[in-house]
Amino acid sequence: GQNIDQPTEMTATEGAIVQINCTYQTSGFNGLFWYQQHAGEAPTFLSYNVLDGLEEKGRFSSFLSRSKGYSYLLLKELQMKDSASYLCAVKDSNYQLIWGAGTKLIIKP
Amino acid sequence: ETGVTQTPRHLVMGMTNKKSLKCEQHLGHNAMYWYKQSAKKPLELMFVYNFKEQTENNSVPSRFSPECPNSSHLFLHLHTLQPEDSALYLCASSQGLAEPYEQYFGPGTRLTVT
């Protein structure tokens, strides 16, 4: 079966750095996406990786290793507004997005 | 209006009612999706439409019936639902189905079945 694993919840301190991991087993691979979802709101797109390596976008970076079925989202200089759920999703061979259950990130002052 | 809109935002219905959820995208996208989001579970893809044609139906019970009259509008018709159908229903759109097109989500309809 297809599976995306990510931690259920993480806690970090304002101004610090946090890394959210995602491992996947899917039938085929056509890219990995990270989305942010604030409570009661729609998911919003953060990043896309299809080749191995690091993609940087401001305070957020995303890394992919296809051989290991592994990705992480790195958030730097954490702000209170970064408190949200972070969803990892993989596009499989049918171009369907397979989603993880999300990681709830709690930022403390 | 910009992005993806959904109405209603909240819906409470009995198990014998019939209701419809509406989604509209103002992005000129060709693909539209219905997802179900339950607490602490992954997003469940329900239906996919590409250029108004249904391409996926992920074993969704027949009490959920989608309709896509054009590339900008998507409906989800509901009838004789069960309490376990209570969830957040999200609509999304994308430029196409293939990579690297990200999906844009609407705010969702919070559905409660009593």
Side-chain angles (χ1 to χ4, degrees):
Chain A
Q2 308 204 90
N3 197 50
I4 310 277
D5 284 317
Q6 48 182 134
T8 305
E9 188 173 296
M10 298 182 71
T11 302
T13 305
E14 191 177 14
I17 299 174
V18 71
Q19 178 175 311
I20 302 174
N21 296 325
C22 170
T23 57
Y24 63 89
Q25 291 177 304
T26 56
S27 55
F29 179 84
N30 281 302
L32 185 144
F33 296 79
W34 284 96
Y35 282 78
Q36 180 190 59
Q37 186 175 23
H38 284 101
E41 297 184 12
T44 55
F45 169 74
L46 286 178
S47 68
Y48 170 76
N49 295 70
V50 67
L51 299 176
D52 289 353
L54 190 67
E55 295 280 343
E56 296 187 77
K57 213 186 255 190
R59 294 189 298 114
F60 292 9
S61 303
S62 55
F63 171 83
L64 174 67
S65 168
R66 286 173 299 171
S67 62
K68 295 182 179 177
Y70 168 70
S71 173
Y72 67 72
L73 181 69
L74 192 71
L75 291 75
K76 301 177 187 175
E77 301 168 18
L78 285 171
Q79 302 174 9
M80 297 304 292
K81 67 178 182 178
D82 297 329
S83 292
S85 288
Y86 291 85
L87 312 179
C88 173
V90 172
K91 221 169 223 190
D92 68 8
S93 55
N94 294 322
Y95 296 102
Q96 281 196 31
L97 273 179
I98 310 300
W99 295 82
T103 298
K104 182 178 180 180
L105 178 64
I106 300 167
I107 310 296
K108 296 187 173 178
Chain B
E1 294 272 22
T2 58
V4 182
T5 58
Q6 290 186 244
T7 55
R9 294 293 308 276
H10 300 272
L11 178 62
V12 179
M13 59 187 287
M15 291 192 286
T16 57
N17 291 160
K18 288 185 182 181
K19 296 286 185 183
S20 295
L21 309 184
K22 178 183 175 183
C23 174
E24 183 173 1
Q25 58 97 358
H26 308 267
L27 301 167
H29 288 166
N30 299 310
M32 296 187 77
Y33 312 78
W34 278 118
Y35 285 95
K36 176 183 179 183
Q37 188 174 36
S38 304
K40 304 192 180 194
K41 289 186 177 179
L43 280 169
E44 296 174 47
L45 179 64
M46 300 174 73
F47 301 104
V48 181
Y49 280 82
N50 194 33
F51 292 97
K52 302 190 303 177
E53 298 297 319
Q54 186 175 311
T55 60
E56 292 294 335
N57 173 347
N58 281 2
S59 303
V60 180
S62 59
R63 59 185 183 269
F64 295 92
S65 173
E67 179 190 359
C68 188
N70 55 59
S71 291
S72 299
H73 293 85
L74 187 63
F75 295 89
L76 188 63
H77 304 298
L78 316 171
H79 64 97
T80 58
L81 295 189
Q82 305 298 312
E84 60 264 28
D85 297 323
S86 298
L88 182 67
Y89 288 84
L90 290 164
C91 174
S93 71
S94 65
Q95 188 174 338
L97 295 182
E99 80 298 333
Y101 301 126
E102 70 267 29
Q103 294 179 12
Y104 292 78
F105 286 83
T109 296
R110 173 68 62 184
L111 174 67
T112 303
V113 180
T114 60

